[in-house]
Amino acid sequence: MIGQLLRTPFTDLVGVLHPVVQTGMGWVSGPRLVSGTANAGGLGILASATMTFDELEKAIIEVKSRTDAPFGVNLRADAGDAADRCRLLIDYEVKVASFALAPKPELIARLKEHDVVVMPSIGAAKHAKKVAAWGADAVMVQGGEGGGHTGPVPTTLLLPTVLDAVDIPVVAAGGFFDGRGLAAALSYGAAGVGMGTRFLLTQDSAVPDAVKQLYLERGLTDTVVTAKVDGMPHRMLRTDLVEELEETSAVRRMGPTLRRTAAFKRESGMSWTELLKDGREMRKRQGRTLGQMALAANTPMMLKAGLVEGDTTAGVLASGQVVGVIDDLPTCEELVDRVVTQAAAELRRASAYVV
């Protein structure tokens, strides 16, 4: 691992060597990948939305057994047990709480009382202003190039609007894979970058090798944004299954959706009452329609089929557009070292233009 070459408000805030974040990807960001990133000097983030409470506790313990470096946990702010999961972070002294949606002000305050850094992910400047006013320490902003749930605005346009709106550290995500991207983000005024697909395609990722090879074979136009999986825009690899979903009517999708919902209930250990409660919370906080709530359980089970079980005929593969420019599988240490080294070199090169 190389020494610190770039110091930013984010590295100071979190206590990591490098302004590089491995994002919390469901079924992908497990203890091995998170600890690999942490040991490389970046910030690894556990994805807890696809874990039961007990699985999350075990995962935190495993990460702490693998590294002494700071790491984070990504949480669903609208989950029924969000407060209990935050208590886990406090009890085990996890450094960062990352949220896919804005957590309530009282939850932010509770975490900050125990020196946990709060970093929600946001998709618009107004959302960044809201969570900053509530006390968030930093935000991650993902542009439309990113994988998984995404919005329509590219990072190059979204990032400056967020930077103009808040004075807390901003981590840019969506479209980043190398040191040139990190240098560009820092030049915009960001304090670091978040990468998902790039970390998925490392030796430390537990995604099956055959699936990784499928990613490596894809080009820049081989992803698609669809709402047919869970009712929300979701960027993933273009596969035969995704093409079929795009062409299938809502009525024909209902049977498989109900089966996957039942499978998610078994997997999560939740009761039907708890599932309905979570669904109502999604509708209240995200503005989802009844149809979108019915599809919500599709995502974790279809992602598990593809990313864990390697069954691309039954599962989907979340992916950012950067999949089209990735052609290798480095270790986390090799990846972080070269991203940071290249970024420092690019910033030095660009400084020569200043007169």
Side-chain angles (χ1 to χ4, degrees), residues 317-341:
L317 303 170
S319 175
Q321 287 183 301
V322 297
V323 69
V325 290
I326 297 173
D327 59 8
D328 65 347
L329 298 171
T331 64
C332 284
E333 182 174 347
E334 291 168 344
L335 174 62
V336 173
D337 281 1
R338 78 186 187 197
V339 166
V340 173
T341 300

Side-chain angles (χ1 to χ4, degrees), residues 117-189:
V117 173
V118 178
M119 183 175 68
S121 294
I122 52 91
K126 64 180 180 180
H127 300 146
K129 290 177 69 173
K130 178 174 72 173
V131 295
W134 288 353
D137 299 291
V139 291
M140 180 180 291
V141 51
Q142 177 179 300
E145 302 95 323
H149 290 119
T150 193
V153 182
T155 305
T156 51
L157 298 177
L158 182 59
L159 178 58
T161 66
V162 173
L163 289 166
D164 288 343
V166 298
D167 59 4
I168 58 177
V170 175
V171 175
F176 296 100
F177 65 98
D178 67 0
R180 292 171 297 180
L182 174 55
L186 296 179
S187 296
Y188 267 105

Side-chain angles (χ1 to χ4, degrees), residues 282-324:
M282 283 183 185
R283 188 180 187 189
K284 176 183 176 182
R285 300 195 61 184
Q286 300 179 39
R288 291 199 184 197
T289 65
L290 289 172
Q292 289 171 333
M293 288 191 301
L295 288 169
N298 262 358
T299 302
M301 300 316 297
M302 294 185 79
L303 286 171
K304 182 183 181 184
L307 294 171
V308 178
E309 299 162 2
D311 184 358
T312 58
T313 65
V316 295
L317 303 170
S319 175
Q321 287 183 301
V322 297
V323 69

